Amino acid sequence: MKFTFSKILVLSLLLTLVGCKYYNFTGTGQIDAETFQVNYFQNNADLVEPGIERTFTLALQDILQNQTSLNLVNQGGDLLYEGEIVEYRITPMTATADQRAAQNRLTIAVNVRFTNKNKEEDDFEKRFSFFYDYPANEQMSGNTLTTALDEIFTRITQDVFNASLAKW
């Protein structure tokens, strides 16, 4: 039996596509759900920065929509993400020779409760946090705040995604 290059190529492509049924490029494997729901994350931190709760909620919805084929619903989702922002803290990190801060760190922590209605053993409640360092001579507002939130929320939402769906 002679195999030509085109037959081998077609066979390889077919096996690859069949394998994608159980695994995809985001590392989630087969998700036992069709819908997800992200409830509004309240800001319960001691230091409150207005609007970050909405920004985080939308960032979590975006990563789930972009990295899965799940449908976002307002209620009754197979997967439920809820929780609260529990920490928003700015601390000095390094000092200059004259005892002034040279660099500050913004740290944000989010408590996440994940519920999988179809697979209860996947449920968890976990705290996720990340930080952003910036020069002490800059105020945590405007572009600095936007950049910090983008970096922090990108990391936290990816960690939530990995813990809930990729099982990393």
Side-chain angles (χ1 to χ4, degrees), residues 57-118:
T57 302
L58 293 175
L60 185 55
Q61 289 174 352
D62 287 347
I63 194 171
L64 292 165
Q65 286 181 310
N66 292 337
Q67 293 191 19
T68 69
S69 60
L70 299 171
N71 295 313
L72 174 64
V73 295
N74 291 329
Q75 56 185 336
D78 297 326
L79 307 178
L80 173 62
Y81 295 85
E82 57 187 350
E84 52 279 334
I85 296 171
V86 294
E87 182 180 0
Y88 181 97
R89 180 174 38 104
I90 298 172
T91 54
M93 292 306 297
T94 58
T96 62
D98 59 347
Q99 301 296 321
R100 294 190 310 170
Q103 189 176 44
N104 289 332
R105 174 172 285 179
L106 170 63
T107 303
I108 298 177
V110 181
N111 187 55
V112 177
R113 287 178 299 282
F114 171 73
T115 306
N116 183 339
K117 293 181 181 177
N118 300 326

